[in-house]
DNA sequence: TTTGATTTGTTACAATATAACATTTTAATA
DNA sequence: TATTAAAATGTTATATTGTAACAAATCAAA
């Protein structure tokens, strides 16, 4: 398959480097999620995947999603049961998203470290942090209409 | 029904004050979630509810969950599809949880305000924040075994 | 005691996700 | 090159989580 975008190339390189196979389902699912402006559900991915593969079933979509997610190329938005391309150059322990509850747009922001007040909470509780996920809900600039 | 715990009494008072009905499904579901040491799924709530009500169906559990959640007495842990009693005296815009991926225990902590680095992100994006949810994954003190 | 709002009961189904096992692909090994 | 074992996919079936729609009951106010 022809490599279509820089992102596809990046993931191809990553897989080559790490010895993973960048198979058709993985490429197509990455492309589908990357092209989506908003978080996209697994079954919508599956439906679009059907234009590229012959009659794919849920596990095909879910496995590719799992692979891409494990390696940080996409993220799951937990409060939406949906997936979005990493907008912060993958491989980070924490994610933070601003989710517009009106138009559905999601903006990922990157903080290298968890903010100190939260770190303090984990220290106080002797909690050994491995990853974090922050989902901020509200109204985006475009949707916001002051009264 | 007899009022069993201070929490039940608190919610009863709140409902009286606000003009909501603190019906049996709501009381029982609150009690079930409050007694659970760990986040509990809707269908497990439903199963336990079956010991109190005659053959309840999913909407009965989900409606009570929705009510209690809307009014801040319980929270949904998005990454677990499960519900937990509010450990921070309800009515807060933001939640933060430490989730032990080994034993499943969840500890809620309270920050009155979103940490400044995150507030700055929302300001920069002109994002109008309404609520936030922070889910910290890791290993709790009890489960942690240093090498 | 009628009325209207709130809440629940009930049926059916939608949406999301995974278990289990057969088959194929791939690259390393013999 | 033929063999093998790991990785990945195909396929079938099903589990899990959540909701739409409408009828019936409850409750408090008019
Ligand atoms: Zn990212
Ligand atoms: Zn918006
Ligand atoms: Zn709380
Ligand atoms: Zn633990």
């Amino acid at each position: 398959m022809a490599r279509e975008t820089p992102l596809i190339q990046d993931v191809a390189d990553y897989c080559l480097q790490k010895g993973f196979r960048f198979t058709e389902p993985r490429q197509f699912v990455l492309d589908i999620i990357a092209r989506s402006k908003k978080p996209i559900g697994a079954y919508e991915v599956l439906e679009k995947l059907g234009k590229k593969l012959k009659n794919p079933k849920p596990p095909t979509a879910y496995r590719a999603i799992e692979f891409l997610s494990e390696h940080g190329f996409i993220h799951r938005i937990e409060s939406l049961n949906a997936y979005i391309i990493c907008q912060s150059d993958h491989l980070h322990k924490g994610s933070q998203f601003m989710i517009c509850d009106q138009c559905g747009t999601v903006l990922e922001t990157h903080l290298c470290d968890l903010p100190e007040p939260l770190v303090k909470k984990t220290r106080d509780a002797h909690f050994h942090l491995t990853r974090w996920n922050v989902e901020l809900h509200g109204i985006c600039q475009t949707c916001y209409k002051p009264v």
Side-chain angles (χ1 to χ4, degrees), chain A residues 15-30:
Chain A
C15 288
L16 197 60
Q17 177 116 25
K18 297 271 188 170
F20 300 116
R21 298 185 209 163
F22 195 34
T23 58
E24 285 207 323
R26 291 173 179 177
Q27 291 181 44
F28 292 143
V29 167
L30 177 70

Side-chain angles (χ1 to χ4, degrees), chain A residues 53-116:
Chain A
L53 297 177
K54 156 178 125 190
N55 196 24
K57 303 293 188 304
T60 299
Y62 276 103
R63 284 167 181 157
I65 286 170
E66 184 183 24
F67 174 83
L68 295 168
S69 184
E70 275 173 355
H71 297 284
F73 296 108
I74 65 173
H75 302 298
R76 174 179 166 83
I77 308 294
E78 298 285 358
S79 56
L80 302 176
N81 294 340
Y83 306 88
I84 193 167
I85 200 77
C86 175
Q87 300 165 39
S88 300
D89 198 18
H90 91 119
L91 295 183
H92 43 87
K93 282 172 58 182
S95 295
Q96 33 284 135
F97 305 101
M98 287 177 280
I99 302 161
C100 178
D101 290 326
Q102 187 152 327
C103 69
T105 295
V106 172
L107 206 63
E108 178 177 1
T109 67
H110 181 67
L111 295 175
C112 295
D113 302 294
L114 190 67
E116 177 54 29

